[in-house]
Amino acid sequence: MTPSDHPVVSRDRWIAERKALLAREKELTRLRDQIAGERRTLPWVRVEKRYVFDTPQGPRTLSDLFDGRSQLIVQHFMLGPGWEQGCVGCSYMADHTDGMTVHLAQRDIAWVAISRAPLVEIERFKRRMGWQFAWASSNGSTFNHDFGVSFTPEDMAGGEVYYNYAMQRFPHDEAPGISVFYRDEAGDVFHTYSTYGRGVEVMMGTYDMVDLTPRGRDEGGGAMGWVRHHDRYEPAPSREPAAGSCCRSHD
């Protein structure tokens, strides 16, 4: 259905249909609350490996990235060594971050982006985009591979990689994701959760707003096809969908 052929009804009819949809929206809200509770009851995995990251403050371990807090959210940002710029979709995710971090801190949550690119390349792209959030380089460590967002040539040789908890085709050797960690009072770190594919939309608050509008995402020509780096949008964006993001959403 397109806006040009959309039904137009009386206010009373609209209210009746809106209330029916509201009942479904409340079902979704309750289901989200239920799933959030189930997520919190997942078992944890102790992180035994000592990961060291390159940061503007010098080398830091995974435990250091908590910055004194007990919870840590990591955005696995697709920026590989030698890349000219970060993934469009991951950048779209990151555009929502700076406004969140002050609020996350009030819930005892630290936040950091981690990429495999060397720190100098990360810092160059970060300056271009005007971001302030923490961003570390995992270059030289196995962190990205261990958490399922980077793939070796051997991984990709068979045509499929293990991503989002299943073997599937993926067009790049870097992939998007979000991982969550907990640090206890003894300093032990635990992996509590990771989400990939369309799960990363949890960071894409703009999509929630877009989904409220009559045209919605309008992505028939390719998932995230309209998204650009925020400094690369045309003044009057075309309505025609483009080819799609480098990390276009997968189910």
Side-chain angles (χ1 to χ4, degrees), residues 66-72 103-110 181-183:
F66 283 75
D67 281 332
R69 301 185 177 93
S70 67
Q71 301 170 104
L72 173 68
H103 302 289
L104 292 174
Q106 297 305 307
R107 296 299 302 161
D108 193 29
I109 301 168
F181 301 89
Y182 180 80
R183 187 179 64 179

Coordinates of all heavy atoms in Angstrom, one line a residue, residues 66-72 103-110 181-183:
F66 N 36.0 -0.9 31.4 CA 34.8 -0.7 32.3 C 34.8 0.7 32.9 O 33.8 1.2 33.4 CB 34.7 -1.7 33.3 CG 34.1 -3.1 32.8 CD1 34.9 -3.9 32.1 CD2 32.8 -3.5 33.1 CE1 34.5 -5.2 31.7 CE2 32.3 -4.7 32.7 CZ 33.1 -5.5 32.0
D67 N 36.0 1.3 33.0 CA 36.2 2.6 33.6 C 35.5 2.7 35.0 O 34.8 3.7 35.4 CB 35.5 3.7 32.7 CG 36.5 4.1 31.6 OD1 37.7 4.0 31.8 OD2 36.0 4.6 30.6
G68 N 35.7 1.7 35.8 CA 35.2 1.6 37.2 C 33.8 1.2 37.3 O 33.3 1.1 38.5
R69 N 33.1 0.9 36.2 CA 31.7 0.5 36.3 C 31.7 -1.1 36.3 O 32.7 -1.7 36.0 CB 30.9 1.1 35.2 CG 30.9 2.6 35.3 CD 30.0 3.3 34.3 NE 30.1 4.7 34.5 CZ 30.9 5.6 33.8 NH1 31.7 5.1 32.9 NH2 30.9 6.9 34.1
S70 N 30.5 -1.6 36.5 CA 30.4 -3.1 36.6 C 29.8 -3.7 35.3 O 29.9 -4.9 35.1 CB 29.5 -3.5 37.7 OG 28.1 -3.1 37.5
Q71 N 29.3 -2.8 34.4 CA 28.7 -3.3 33.1 C 29.3 -2.5 31.9 O 29.6 -1.4 32.0 CB 27.2 -3.1 33.1 CG 26.5 -3.8 34.3 CD 25.1 -3.3 34.4 OE1 24.2 -4.1 34.1 NE2 24.8 -2.1 35.0
L72 N 29.5 -3.3 30.8 CA 30.1 -2.7 29.6 C 29.4 -3.2 28.4 O 29.1 -4.3 28.2 CB 31.6 -3.2 29.6 CG 32.4 -2.8 28.3 CD1 32.6 -1.3 28.2 CD2 33.7 -3.5 28.2
H103 N 23.6 8.9 30.1 CA 22.5 8.2 30.7 C 22.9 6.8 31.1 O 22.5 6.3 32.2 CB 21.3 8.2 29.8 CG 20.8 9.6 29.4 ND1 20.2 10.5 30.3 CD2 20.9 10.3 28.2 CE1 19.9 11.6 29.7 NE2 20.4 11.5 28.4
L104 N 23.7 6.2 30.2 CA 24.2 4.8 30.5 C 25.0 4.8 31.8 O 24.9 3.9 32.6 CB 25.0 4.3 29.3 CG 24.2 4.0 28.1 CD1 25.1 3.6 26.9 CD2 23.1 2.9 28.3
A105 N 25.8 5.9 31.9 CA 26.7 5.9 33.1 C 25.9 5.9 34.4 O 26.4 5.4 35.4 CB 27.6 7.2 33.0
Q106 N 24.7 6.5 34.3 CA 23.9 6.5 35.5 C 23.3 5.2 35.9 O 22.8 5.0 37.0 CB 22.7 7.6 35.3 CG 23.2 9.0 35.2 CD 24.1 9.4 36.3 OE1 23.7 9.3 37.5 NE2 25.3 10.0 36.0
R107 N 23.4 4.3 35.0 CA 23.0 2.9 35.2 C 24.2 2.0 35.3 O 24.1 0.7 35.1 CB 22.1 2.4 34.1 CG 20.7 3.1 34.0 CD 19.9 3.0 35.2 NE 19.6 1.6 35.5 CZ 19.3 1.2 36.8 NH1 19.2 2.0 37.8 NH2 19.0 -0.1 37.0
D108 N 25.3 2.5 35.7 CA 26.6 1.8 36.0 C 27.0 1.0 34.7 O 27.5 -0.1 34.8 CB 26.3 0.8 37.1 CG 27.6 0.2 37.6 OD1 28.6 0.8 37.6 OD2 27.5 -1.0 38.1
I109 N 26.9 1.7 33.5 CA 27.2 1.1 32.3 C 28.2 1.9 31.5 O 28.0 3.1 31.3 CB 26.0 0.9 31.4 CG1 24.9 0.1 32.0 CG2 26.3 0.3 30.0 CD1 23.5 0.1 31.4
A110 N 29.3 1.3 31.2 CA 30.3 1.9 30.3 C 30.0 1.5 28.8 O 29.5 0.4 28.6 CB 31.8 1.5 30.7
F181 N 29.2 -7.2 28.7 CA 30.1 -7.8 29.7 C 29.8 -7.3 31.1 O 29.3 -6.2 31.3 CB 31.6 -7.5 29.4 CG 32.0 -8.0 28.0 CD1 31.9 -7.2 26.9 CD2 32.5 -9.3 27.8 CE1 32.2 -7.6 25.7 CE2 32.9 -9.7 26.6 CZ 32.7 -8.9 25.5
Y182 N 30.1 -8.1 32.1 CA 29.9 -7.8 33.5 C 31.3 -8.0 34.3 O 31.9 -9.0 34.0 CB 28.8 -8.6 34.2 CG 28.6 -8.3 35.6 CD1 27.8 -7.2 36.0 CD2 29.1 -9.1 36.6 CE1 27.6 -6.9 37.3 CE2 28.9 -8.8 38.0 CZ 28.2 -7.7 38.3 OH 27.9 -7.4 39.6
R183 N 31.6 -7.1 35.2 CA 32.8 -7.3 36.0 C 32.4 -7.3 37.4 O 31.7 -6.4 37.9 CB 33.8 -6.1 35.7 CG 35.1 -6.3 36.4 CD 36.1 -5.2 36.2 NE 35.6 -3.9 36.7 CZ 36.2 -2.8 36.7 NH1 37.4 -2.7 36.0 NH2 35.7 -1.7 37.2

